Amino acid sequence: RINQLVEHKCLEHLDMGRYHDYLGSASAMHDGGDSTISIDFSHDGRFFASTHGNHTTRVFAYPSCRLVATLQEHPRTAWIVKFHPSDSNILACASWRLECTIWSISAKAPLFHLSLDQTVNASISGISFHPLGDMIAIASGRQVLLWDYKNAYALRMEDCDGLESTTEMESGNHPSSLAVCRLYCDSPEGGLYCIYESESHIHIIDFHPSGDYVMIGERNETSFHTSQLTIQLSIHEFSRCKIPLGLPVLVVPEIITYNGSGAHFSPNGQMLVACVPPGILAKHHSIAVFSLAKDNMGDCLFSSPLDYTHSSALTNLRFSSASSHILAAFYLNTEHSIPWHMTRIPDSWLSSTADRARLSSTLIARAEAMQSQEILKVYCLCKGITEIEVICPDKRRREFQDRINTAVFCPGLSSMGFVYGTQNGRIRIFEKA
């Protein structure tokens, strides 16, 4: 309770946020090729890492934003970055090229590397460390793979069509004594297992903080409630001695999400947050918090309406460290997306003074509307979901459109704040004022 109160006070007194020019030049911040795609914090809040469209992963100290390392050996753009759950020197990246690499930050070098079969027509859409940090779940295409990376090397998944599954223990052949569903690897030790297969593309994979459950998000081919793309969430029990996964213990039939960050376990393990379409809980889109307690698992504890514009642009839902606040970020890209410099129209474009004045005022109004767009919201879970903070693009900048790809809270109370990354490459940092 004390942590929740301290966290609330910190979030009520954040600064206005500052933009970090991670490339060292102002012009580079507006190059879409350097889009900031994914951000994650180390468990102790000392560092955050970001992936970018120029095939790099950068590690920064928080909140100073001092560049700690640049990891450049990605053949393609790293789509996801995740820190080790207990070692802030280790992080994992997954790229479009069906590769997952585990890095040492201090050495700026790969520790382990996994390359999946390039003939598989799917990319890696999500990764998640087990809370013990010794294995990673990988969502690729219609499969969830488990990579026991410390007991494998030079791995390569082969086409699994026609192979039969087995659930026999192979403790004599595998040092971690995992039951095997399907094993694909070049090394005799093994290390890569298919633990779940779906008929649809898998967008979300995440271990529960306890390690006893795993969340899987599968694309719905059709929706009964909305024309938007929806994901079915299922929560499965996870055990090292029982692979593949069994039937789910909880199913949320439809959620709205732009990417794999649209649903999140609370750090205390008691809740799950997601955005659900009309017809699931109410007549409107809702940010919903579900219980994960065994006596009322699946019950909706709190919900708050969300308008269609924001629900269709939702990129992130994240719990805070104390599990008492929620961060919602949005990729807003409307017809009003007009840079400030475009509000000045050359006289030669229009035939009359009246036409020039009318169009100029229209563009200025649209630009001002962009300045007031709510691109990020912070909610408090206190007898419901209460909106306590709304973030808009910084009006002091000439280029003020921020389409957020990723946003995360900093863990812990000593440096409470959050960071977001945008499509045009900006990183914006908020901390206690």
Side-chain angles (χ1 to χ4, degrees), residues 57-361:
T57 298
R58 291 179 170 84
V59 182
F60 302 94
Y62 180 86
S64 69
C65 288
R66 175 181 58 86
L67 182 63
V68 175
T70 300
L71 311 177
Q72 297 181 331
E73 296 181 23
H74 302 292
R76 294 289 299 276
T77 297
W79 185 242
I80 311 141
V81 61
K82 294 286 185 181
F83 268 94
H84 188 280
S86 58
D87 189 341
S88 57
N89 185 53
I90 295 176
L91 60 77
C93 296
S95 74
W96 280 107
R97 199 179 174 181
L98 290 168
E99 295 182 337
C100 184
T101 304
I102 299 175
W103 294 83
S104 165
I105 296 173
S106 59
K108 300 182 178 65
L111 297 175
F112 304 94
H113 182 76
L114 172 69
S115 179
L116 303 181
D117 189 354
Q118 300 297 312
T119 64
V120 176
N121 187 27
S123 60
I124 294 177
S125 55
I127 59 175
S128 179
F129 273 101
H130 186 276
L132 294 182
D134 59 340
M135 56 181 61
I136 293 179
I138 301 172
S140 178
R142 295 180 296 175
Q143 294 181 322
V144 175
L145 307 173
L146 189 65
W147 182 23
D148 185 11
Y149 62 89
K150 290 190 175 180
N151 295 306
Y153 58 89
L155 302 180
R156 181 178 178 84
M157 189 183 78
E158 303 297 341
D159 190 350
C160 63
D161 291 342
L163 296 180
E164 296 183 355
S165 298
T166 175
T167 56
E168 298 176 356
M169 291 292 292
E170 296 192 1
S171 57
N173 297 327
H174 195 274
S176 61
S177 298
L178 288 170
V180 178
C181 170
R182 289 179 180 173
L183 177 62
Y184 317 105
C185 61
D186 295 333
S187 64
E189 290 85 1
L192 189 64
Y193 310 87
C194 177
I195 62 173
Y196 185 83
E197 289 194 77
S198 170
E199 295 181 356
S200 302
H201 189 86
I202 298 173
H203 288 259
I204 297 174
I205 184 69
D206 196 18
F207 273 112
H208 186 268
S210 68
D212 295 334
Y213 300 96
V214 63
M215 173 169 58
I216 298 174
E218 306 165 59
R219 181 175 60 199
N220 287 315
E221 299 303 325
T222 59
S223 170
F224 296 103
H225 302 99
T226 179
S227 59
Q228 297 166 282
L229 170 68
T230 66
I231 303 295
Q232 175 183 283
L233 277 187
S234 57
I235 311 298
H236 301 255
E237 290 183 340
F238 177 80
S239 170
R240 294 166 182 263
C241 298
K242 188 179 180 181
I243 296 177
L245 300 175
L247 295 175
V249 297
L250 172 64
V251 174
V252 181
E254 294 185 47
I255 71 164
I256 304 293
T257 180
Y258 171 80
N259 56 29
S261 300
H264 191 220
F265 286 125
S266 61
N268 66 9
Q270 297 298 305
M271 295 174 288
L272 167 70
V273 65
C275 177
V276 297
I280 301 296
L281 296 176
K283 295 181 179 181
H284 45 67
H285 291 83
S286 303
I287 292 179
V289 177
F290 299 95
S291 171
L292 295 178
K294 290 187 177 181
D295 57 349
N296 64 342
M297 181 174 285
D299 288 358
C300 181
L301 302 176
F302 313 106
S303 68
S304 178
L306 191 66
D307 62 81
Y308 179 84
T309 298
H310 282 89
S311 67
S312 61
L314 181 68
T315 55
N316 277 78
L317 282 173
R318 281 292 178 267
F319 277 103
S320 60
S321 296
S323 302
S324 58
H325 294 84
I326 293 171
L327 183 69
F330 308 96
Y331 184 105
L332 289 172
N333 183 23
T334 70
E335 61 179 358
H336 304 302
S337 306
I338 299 176
W340 183 261
H341 67 272
M342 289 298 292
T343 62
R344 299 291 181 260
I345 308 298
D347 290 346
S348 58
W349 288 15
L350 301 168
S351 58
S352 70
T353 302
D355 287 340
R356 287 195 296 272
R358 189 181 307 112
L359 182 56
S360 180
S361 63

Side-chain angles (χ1 to χ4, degrees), residues 377-394:
K377 299 184 179 185
V378 179
Y379 297 89
C380 175
L381 300 182
C382 181
K383 298 180 180 180
I385 300 182
T386 305
E387 187 179 288
I388 64 168
E389 187 81 41
V390 174
I391 304 298
C392 298
D394 191 336

